[in-house]
Amino acid sequence: MNAVRKRALVFFAYLLLIFLVFGLNENIYAQTSGKLSGRVVDENGEALFSTNITIDKTTQGAASDFDGYYSIINIRAGIYTVRFQYIGYQSKIIENVRVSPDQTTKLDVVLSSQTVLGEEVTVVAQKPIVEFNQTSSVVSVNKEDIKNLPLQNLNEIVNLQAGVVDGHFRGGRIGEVQYQVDGVTVNNPYNNSSTLQLDKSIIEEVQIISGTFDAKYGQAMSGVVNAVLRSGSDKFEYSGELFTGDFYTTDAKRYPNTDTYRPLQIQNYQFTISGPVGLPQTTFFGSGRRYINDGYLFGTRRFSPTDSSDFENKIFNPTGDNKLIPLSTSKEWSGQVKVTNKSISSLELSYQATANFSERSFYNHSYRLNPDGIKDNNTESVSHGFSLTHTLSNEMFYRLNFRQNYFNYTDYKYENLYDTRYLEAGQPKSDANYEDGAIVQGVDLGRFKQQTNTLIAKWDFTWQFTRIHFLEAGFESQYSKIVFGSPGFLVSTNVDGVEILQPRENIPRVPGIQTYYPFQIATYIQDRVELGDLIVRAGLRFEYFDPAAEIPSDLQNPANSITGAPESIPVKSSIKIALAPRLGLSFPLTSFSSVYFSYGHFYQLPGLGLLYSNADYSILDELQAGGISYGVMGNPNLNPEFTIQYEAGYKQALGNKFGAEVSFFYKDIRDLLGVEFVSTYTAADYARFTNVDFGSVYGFTVALTGKNFGPISTSLDYTLQYAQGNSSDPRETANRAASGKDSRPRTMAFDWDQRNTLNATVLYSENNNFSVSAILRYGSGRPYTPEIGTGFGADQETNSGRKSDFFLLDLRGEKYFNFGFLRVSLFARVINLLNQNFVNGFVFSNTGSPDYTLTPEASRSLLSDPSRFYEPRRIEIGISFGSN
C-alpha cells in the first residue's frame, strides 16, 4: 500500500469520526445563498399587507410590507416550496422555486378571495427563460441541469459555457479564474489553479461568471466559478453510481491497441448518503468516489530499467515480459463530508471537508519499451473548515469562514532519494538508431515537489438596508506556506571510468527545496440596488499583498560581486496594494427584454511560483558578458496583473419558450507577467520576470435557450473573440532572445485564440421513463507558427498560421425504473462519438497537420507518437440508484 493510499484512508477515517461525534448545522452561507423577493397583491392589483410567506422545511420566512413587497435573504442555493397565506384569501403554494447563489429570485403572487374554507392553490414554478436581474454574463447550472447531460465533473461543466475554451475565460491566460467552493477560494496561490477536482455527484449548483463580477470576488481577472456543494436534509436519502468503460476505435494507425473493447479499463464507484444524525437539529451529507482510468496510450515491456546493453557495439539485451502496459493512468479517491446543526436560535455552525487523492502517470513516448522507468506523480488535496452564520434580524446577518486548503504534489519515481533502485537502474539511456531513440534502460531521474498549506479567515456581512438597497461588506485574510523544488538530486559521476549515480541533497547554484510565507488581505463593500426591474451593482475592493521575500537592492550588481560597484544588499520586497471599482446595471426596455452594462478593474497576483522560482540572485556572482545562462530569474517584487473589463448586453424573452442573449465584451489587459533584460555594471545581461506583457480581447457571444417544448429542452451559444497580445507565455521573450530572434514586443494572436466557438445541447426527457441528450461542440483552429525549410530563420511570423477546425459530439441515454422505495436507472455515455482525432493539439510546423511532415526521417519518433492526437471515442455503461 503506497503512501498516498494510506493518507487517503487516514483522512476518510478522520471524516468518519467527525461524522459520528460532531453536530453542526443545516446550511453553510458563504456566497452560497440567494434572495427571494417579490410583491403580493389581490386579484384587483391591491397590495396585501402582512401576508405570511414561509419556505417549507426551513425556519425562514417574511411578512409583506404596507405596499405588498417582501424579501427573504440568506437562502441557501437549491429548490424550495414557498407558501403564501393571508386571512380571507386562498393560500398559494408554489413548488420548484429555484434560488441561485448571489442572485435575487423574483416571485410575485396574486391571491384570490377565499370561497371555500381552507382552500389552497398549488402552482409549479417554471424557471425563467431569461434572468433579467443580472448585470453581466452569469450562468447558474444546477444538479437537475447536469444529471441528464454527458458531463461528469466541474471542469466539463465550466468548459461548456459561452466564452470558455479549455479553462480560458474570454481569451485570458490560464490561471486568471477564481475557483470557489461554497464561496471560499480553493485556488492554489503557487499557480492560481484549483486544488480540487469535483464530481457532479456532490454539486448542488455551479455559478459561472465569465464577464465582470462583483467586488466580493478577488484574485481573478477573467472569471469566477463558485461551486455550491450538496448538504443534508431531515430526510434520510442515499444514491450511487457505478459505470465501466474503455476507449474504442478501429483507427489502429493513429491509436494502436484500442481496437479491442476492454470494459474494465475505466471504472467508477460512487456512493452518497445523507439525512439526520440523531442529534437535535443536526443533519449530515457524505459522499465517496473511487475512479480508475487506464487511458488509451500503451507501451510494451520489452526492457526493464535494470537491463544493461552494449551501446558501443549496438548489442541490446531486453529482459522484459513483452506485456502491454497502460502508460497514461489515473487512480483517484475523492470524497466530501458535511455535518450541520442549527440547534441554537439565530446561530448556525457547520463543518465541511472535501478531499482528492490521486496517483497518475503521464505518457512519455521515449519510455514506450521501458514502461517501468516512467515516474509517477501523486496529489493530495484537502479543503476543510468551519462556517458560522449569525442572524441578527430578518434583514441582517453575518458569516464567518475558517478554511484550510492543503495541497501536496510530488513527481518522482521513488520517494526516497537514497532508494537503491535508482542506483540499480541508473540514468536513462537510448540509441538514436534503435527504435528511433527509445529509452531501453534506466529510470526518469526528475524529482519535484510542491506543497501549499493555506489558512483562510473570511467575514461577510449582509444587510437588507431598505427594500431597495441590499448592502454587503467583507474582509478576508490568507496566509500560506508554499514549499517547492527538487527534493534531492541524482548526479551522474565518473568513478574509475564508470558512470554511476550519486544522490545529493543539494547542488551548488541549483536551488533545491524553497519555502515562502506570503500574506494577503482584502476588504470590500458592495451595494445592490433593486428599484423594480432596474438593477444597479456598485462596489469597491481593496487588496493587500506581502510576498515576504527579499530582492537585491541594486539589480546591476545582483550578487554584490562586482568590484568597485555600489554595494548591493538584500532588501525586503515591497508590499503591493490595489483598489478595484466595479459597476454594473440592468434596466428593462419592455416586460420581455432588458439591456445591461458593466465595468470593472480586476487585479490578480501572478502564480507565486513565478515570483519565487529561481529568485536567489546570489547565483549570479559569476555572471559575465557572454557567459553562461542562468535562466529567467524570479522576482518577488512583481506587481499584480491588471485587466479593465467592459461588457454590454441585451436579453429578450420570446414568449415562455425561447430566450436570447447577446453580449459584447472588451478586455484591456496590462502588467502581464513577461521578461526584461537587466544589464550589470560589467555589461552582462540576465533575464528577469517583470510586469511588461500586455494584451486585449474583444468579441461577442450569442446564447439561445429553448424550453417548455414538451419533453424537449435545447440551448445554443456562439462566441466570436479576438485574443491578442505580445506573448502567450511569460518566458517567450527570453526564449526568442536565446534563439537569436527579435525579442522586441509586437502584437500577435495568443496561442489559445479560438476565434469561433459553438456549443449546443439537446435533451429529450420523459419523467420517470427515459432521457436522451447530446452535446455538440465546434471550434475553429487556434494559431501556430509555420516554418519553411529547416534551420535558423525557417519559421515565419509567430502564430501566423491556423490549425484545423473540429467538431465533437457526445451522447448520453438513460432508462429509469421505479421499485417503490428504490429508483434505478441504466445509462450509456459515448464521448467523442465521431472519433475526432484532432482538437487544436500538436501539429508539425512545416505542414500544419498532426499526420504528416515534410521531414519524415528527422521526425520518425514523433510520427509514431500516438499522444499527439486527441483522445479517441470513449464508451461507458453504468447503473445509478437512489432512494425515493
Side-chain angles (χ1 to χ4, degrees):
M1 182 179 291
N2 60 37
V4 171
R5 191 172 302 169
K6 289 180 180 178
R7 293 187 182 109
L9 293 175
V10 169
F11 175 79
F12 286 120
Y14 166 70
L15 293 187
L16 180 61
L17 178 63
I18 292 176
F19 165 79
L20 293 173
V21 304
F22 193 81
L24 300 168
N25 87 7
E26 182 181 359
N27 295 305
I28 297 177
Y29 301 97
Q31 292 167 10
T32 64
S33 60
K35 172 183 168 184
L36 180 67
S37 69
R39 192 177 186 221
V40 186
V41 298
D42 63 17
E43 57 263 67
N44 298 317
E46 296 295 326
L48 294 179
F49 169 62
S50 198
T51 302
N52 188 36
I53 302 106
T54 58
I55 302 176
D56 284 2
K57 298 182 180 180
T58 76
T59 59
Q60 294 176 281
S64 59
D65 64 15
F66 187 78
D67 296 315
Y69 290 99
Y70 72 93
S71 293
I72 306 175
I73 63 175
N74 204 22
I75 307 171
R76 182 174 176 80
I79 296 177
Y80 296 93
T81 296
V82 185
R83 193 177 298 268
F84 295 81
Q85 294 174 309
Y86 190 78
I87 297 175
Y89 287 78
Q90 286 180 329
S91 295
K92 181 166 284 189
I93 302 169
I94 302 182
E95 300 175 339
N96 200 41
V97 177
R98 164 61 65 176
V99 176
S100 294
D102 202 30
Q103 301 295 329
T104 298
T105 298
K106 299 285 287 184
L107 191 60
D108 296 327
V109 171
V110 177
L111 297 184
S112 301
S113 298
Q114 190 177 38
T115 58
V116 179
L117 185 63
E119 184 178 6
E120 292 183 337
V121 176
T122 300
V123 178
V124 178
Q126 296 291 331
K127 183 179 179 180
I129 291 294
V130 177
E131 298 282 357
F132 290 115
N133 59 355
Q134 296 169 349
T135 61
S136 65
S137 296
V138 181
V139 175
S140 293
V141 184
N142 59 62
K143 61 184 180 183
E144 285 75 23
D145 299 327
I146 300 168
K147 69 178 183 179
N148 292 323
L149 293 175
L151 301 169
Q152 188 63 38
N153 57 50
L154 178 63
N155 288 339
E156 294 175 356
I157 298 167
V158 170
N159 284 321
L160 188 60
Q161 309 310 313
V164 182
V165 178
D166 291 340
H168 297 273
F169 277 51
R170 288 185 172 177
R173 285 178 173 176
I174 286 288
E176 293 185 357
V177 178
Q178 173 73 207
Y179 285 87
Q180 298 187 341
V181 167
D182 285 342
V184 182
T185 179
V186 291
N187 276 24
N188 182 355
Y190 176 80
N191 58 7
N192 287 334
S193 65
S194 174
T195 60
L196 293 175
Q197 303 296 321
L198 301 178
D199 182 68
K200 68 177 184 179
S201 60
I202 64 173
I203 294 175
E204 175 68 38
E205 184 163 334
V206 181
Q207 184 185 59
I208 303 159
I209 309 175
S210 56
T212 59
F213 39 90
D214 289 347
K216 65 173 66 178
Y217 301 107
Q219 281 300 302
M221 295 198 300
S222 291
V224 175
V225 175
N226 183 24
V228 180
L229 304 188
R230 293 172 60 187
S231 59
S233 66
D234 293 331
K235 179 183 177 182
F236 181 78
E237 297 176 315
Y238 59 88
S239 63
E241 181 180 79
L242 299 85
F243 66 79
T244 63
D246 192 14
F247 297 90
Y248 176 76
T249 174
T250 57
D251 187 357
K253 181 178 180 181
R254 292 189 178 96
Y255 305 102
N257 304 302
T258 59
D259 54 351
T260 300
Y261 188 76
R262 308 173 183 90
L264 297 181
Q265 287 288 104
I266 299 172
Q267 301 175 51
N268 182 87
Y269 310 94
Q270 184 274 325
F271 183 72
T272 295
I273 186 170
S274 65
V277 169
L279 300 175
Q281 298 290 310
T282 305
T283 61
F284 75 94
F285 177 89
S287 180
R289 180 175 183 246
R290 174 63 166 168
Y291 180 72
I292 299 171
N293 189 337
D294 283 337
Y296 64 96
L297 299 166
F298 301 88
T300 302
R301 190 187 281 135
R302 186 187 303 178
F303 292 87
S304 299
T306 54
D307 285 349
S308 180
S309 297
D310 185 348
F311 290 94
E312 183 176 352
N313 295 307
K314 312 298 181 183
I315 299 174
F316 303 95
N317 303 303
T319 64
D321 56 15
N322 290 310
K323 284 187 177 179
L324 195 66
I325 306 296
L327 295 186
S328 179
T329 63
S330 177
K331 298 179 180 179
E332 304 173 25
W333 289 96
S334 62
Q336 181 212 0
V337 67
K338 180 186 298 184
V339 193
T340 54
N341 170 275
K342 58 173 185 176
S343 57
I344 301 176
S345 176
S346 76
L347 193 65
E348 301 177 342
L349 182 67
S350 75
Y351 174 83
Q352 176 174 284
T354 308
N356 299 146
F357 302 92
S358 68
E359 309 167 43
R360 292 189 176 95
S361 64
F362 293 104
Y363 184 78
N364 187 331
H365 191 58
S366 297
Y367 284 88
R368 63 191 181 275
L369 302 181
N370 177 22
D372 296 327
I374 294 179
K375 60 182 179 179
D376 300 318
N377 71 70
N378 296 310
T379 301
E380 306 166 26
S381 181
V382 179
S383 178
H384 73 118
F386 294 89
S387 177
L388 178 147
T389 299
H390 186 192
T391 302
L392 303 174
S393 69
N394 287 337
E395 295 79 28
M396 186 185 304
F397 70 93
Y398 69 84
R399 54 186 175 257
L400 287 170
N401 276 282
F402 301 97
R403 181 80 61 87
Q404 179 191 22
N405 293 337
Y406 174 79
F407 179 83
N408 185 48
Y409 170 84
T410 58
D411 186 22
Y412 39 60
K413 180 60 180 175
Y414 305 116
E415 182 175 4
N416 189 346
L417 174 65
Y418 299 95
D419 195 309
T420 57
R421 288 173 292 180
Y422 270 129
L423 308 183
E424 292 168 359
Q427 61 183 326
K429 293 184 179 181
S430 64
D431 186 284
N433 296 313
Y434 180 81
E435 294 286 357
D436 300 324
I439 291 172
V440 297
Q441 68 182 59
V443 297
D444 193 325
L445 303 181
R447 294 177 59 81
F448 181 77
K449 174 181 180 178
Q450 198 282 301
Q451 185 182 91
T452 301
N453 193 3
T454 300
L455 301 177
I456 300 170
K458 187 175 183 182
W459 173 81
D460 295 282
F461 174 78
T462 302
W463 184 15
Q464 185 73 56
F465 178 59
T466 67
R467 178 166 57 84
I468 296 173
H469 292 278
F470 187 74
L471 299 177
E472 296 174 277
F475 174 86
E476 180 178 359
S477 66
Q478 182 171 309
Y479 176 78
S480 301
K481 178 183 178 182
I482 297 178
V483 179
F484 66 94
S486 178
F489 305 87
L490 293 148
V491 181
S492 179
T493 306
N494 190 304
V495 178
D496 297 328
V498 179
E499 291 288 331
I500 63 171
L501 287 180
Q502 288 188 347
R504 295 185 181 178
E505 299 282 350
N506 299 288
I507 297 179
R509 303 184 185 282
V510 179
I513 293 292
Q514 304 168 67
T515 305
Y516 291 88
Y517 299 90
F519 177 66
Q520 304 175 54
I521 61 174
T523 185
Y524 72 89
I525 185 168
Q526 178 88 29
D527 185 16
R528 188 194 313 174
V529 180
E530 298 176 325
L531 188 58
D533 292 325
L534 174 63
I535 309 296
V536 179
R537 292 176 180 254
L540 186 66
R541 185 178 183 89
F542 172 80
E543 303 264 9
Y544 169 103
F545 173 66
D546 182 0
E550 293 181 337
I551 59 172
S553 61
D554 189 344
L555 294 177
Q556 292 184 277
N557 184 16
N560 196 34
S561 59
I562 301 176
T563 304
E567 182 183 15
S568 179
I569 60 174
V571 296
K572 193 177 184 301
S573 53
S574 62
I575 290 172
K576 308 298 185 299
I577 61 173
L579 200 61
R582 316 276 171 86
L583 175 65
L585 58 91
S586 171
F587 57 95
L589 297 178
T590 69
S591 58
F592 298 101
S593 63
S594 69
V595 295
Y596 62 85
F597 170 80
S598 57
Y599 161 85
H601 287 199
F602 304 91
Y603 293 89
Q604 184 182 26
L605 287 162
L608 300 188
L610 296 175
L611 273 75
Y612 299 137
S613 292
N614 200 26
D616 180 6
Y617 286 71
S618 66
I619 66 172
L620 301 177
D621 57 348
E622 295 182 0
L623 179 68
Q624 299 294 330
I628 62 174
S629 171
Y630 293 88
V632 179
M633 303 299 297
N635 181 6
N637 217 30
L638 287 169
N639 293 315
E641 298 174 316
F642 175 47
T643 292
I644 301 176
Q645 286 198 52
Y646 304 85
E647 184 177 15
Y650 171 77
K651 295 184 178 184
Q652 176 72 55
L654 306 173
N656 67 340
K657 296 186 182 296
F658 272 111
E661 179 179 356
V662 181
S663 175
F664 298 88
F665 57 88
Y666 175 75
K667 297 166 67 172
D668 182 10
I669 309 169
R670 309 175 186 177
D671 294 336
L672 283 177
L673 195 60
V675 170
E676 67 175 350
F677 294 93
V678 181
S679 294
T680 68
Y681 291 111
T682 59
D685 292 336
Y686 63 93
R688 175 179 184 256
F689 282 127
T690 190
N691 300 93
V692 294
D693 282 1
F694 56 86
S696 66
V697 183
Y698 60 93
F700 69 86
T701 63
V702 179
L704 304 174
T705 303
K707 292 188 176 181
N708 305 322
F709 291 97
I712 299 177
S713 298
T714 64
S715 69
L716 175 72
D717 65 71
Y718 168 75
T719 302
L720 172 68
Q721 71 175 23
Y722 294 82
Q724 53 194 14
N726 69 302
S727 70
S728 300
D729 182 271
R731 293 181 171 85
E732 185 172 333
T733 300
N735 293 337
R736 290 183 62 82
S739 301
K741 301 172 184 177
D742 186 0
S743 60
R744 292 175 295 182
R746 75 275 190 231
T747 300
M748 63 181 181
F750 286 137
D751 289 350
W752 54 87
D753 179 34
Q754 188 167 297
R755 293 284 168 83
N756 301 284
T757 304
L758 182 144
N759 300 306
T761 67
V762 179
L763 170 65
Y764 185 97
S765 177
E766 291 188 4
N767 285 337
N768 300 318
N769 190 4
F770 70 92
S771 68
V772 178
S773 63
I775 297 176
L776 173 67
R777 298 177 177 90
Y778 162 78
S780 59
R782 298 181 206 168
Y784 77 98
T785 302
E787 68 176 27
I788 300 175
T790 59
F792 180 79
D795 56 328
Q796 298 182 9
E797 186 65 26
T798 302
N799 282 352
S800 58
R802 286 279 167 176
K803 301 175 183 178
S804 300
D805 299 355
F806 69 88
F807 283 95
L808 289 172
L809 177 61
D810 302 337
L811 297 180
R812 188 180 196 275
E814 189 165 12
K815 173 63 178 176
Y816 307 99
F817 303 91
N818 199 320
F819 299 100
F821 68 94
L822 180 69
R823 53 179 172 80
V824 177
S825 71
L826 301 176
F827 66 88
R829 180 167 52 211
V830 184
I831 307 300
N832 190 13
L833 174 71
L834 304 179
N835 204 51
Q836 171 71 254
N837 63 76
F838 177 76
V839 178
N840 276 319
F842 168 84
V843 295
F844 290 100
S845 57
N846 54 24
T847 63
S849 168
D851 281 308
Y852 69 97
T853 173
L854 300 180
T855 56
E857 283 301 313
S859 306
R860 285 184 304 171
S861 180
L862 269 175
L863 286 169
S864 65
D865 185 350
S867 67
R868 70 188 192 276
F869 297 110
Y870 187 73
E871 68 175 36
R873 180 187 302 111
R874 187 171 86 238
I875 303 172
E876 297 168 345
I877 301 172
I879 181 172
S880 67
F881 60 90
S883 56
N884 275 322

